[in-house]
Amino acid sequence: MSPTVDELRNEIREAVGRYERPVSTAFTKEALAAICGAVGYDIDTDRLPSKPQMRAGILWQIGERDDDDPADAEQPFRKGELETIAAALSDE
């Protein structure tokens, strides 16, 4: 059986040194910043970019997008994207 979206989010959180969440919730800006660092997407950590910018950058860095345009990442990650991110983090 494939993992749920919540399980994938928690797997990703743990892979980047964040804490597992007992309830279903999207990534915080801090968690997205940690994922950015793990996949090699350079951001200004003094003033975090928008969530869409970080989501787009993560997907671009792992090869899911052609660029890091935040207009293409307005919504939280979909299950397939979470699976790809989790796989990219487990490969490192």
Side-chain angles (χ1 to χ4, degrees):
M1 185 171 179
S2 68
T4 66
V5 168
D6 295 335
E7 291 168 338
L8 287 165
R9 284 187 188 128
N10 280 329
E11 180 182 334
I12 293 166
R13 284 184 183 103
E14 290 176 2
V16 297
R18 305 294 297 175
Y19 294 102
E20 183 176 326
R21 297 237 176 178
V23 294
S24 175
T25 182
F27 291 116
T28 62
K29 277 186 133 182
E30 293 77 12
L32 286 170
I35 299 167
C36 284
V39 300
Y41 184 64
D42 191 31
I43 59 169
D44 179 2
T45 55
D46 291 331
R47 186 159 192 264
L48 293 177
S50 67
K51 284 183 172 186
Q53 181 67 59
M54 289 190 280
R55 282 193 293 264
I58 291 164
L59 293 172
W60 172 64
Q61 198 65 28
I62 63 172
E64 286 294 299
R65 300 274 166 90
D66 293 333
D67 59 31
D68 63 345
D69 183 1
D72 295 335
E74 290 291 327
Q75 301 299 317
F77 294 122
R78 298 184 186 281
K79 185 174 183 177
E81 294 168 335
L82 291 169
E83 290 170 335
T84 304
I85 294 166
L89 293 173
S90 69
D91 290 343
E92 294 181 4

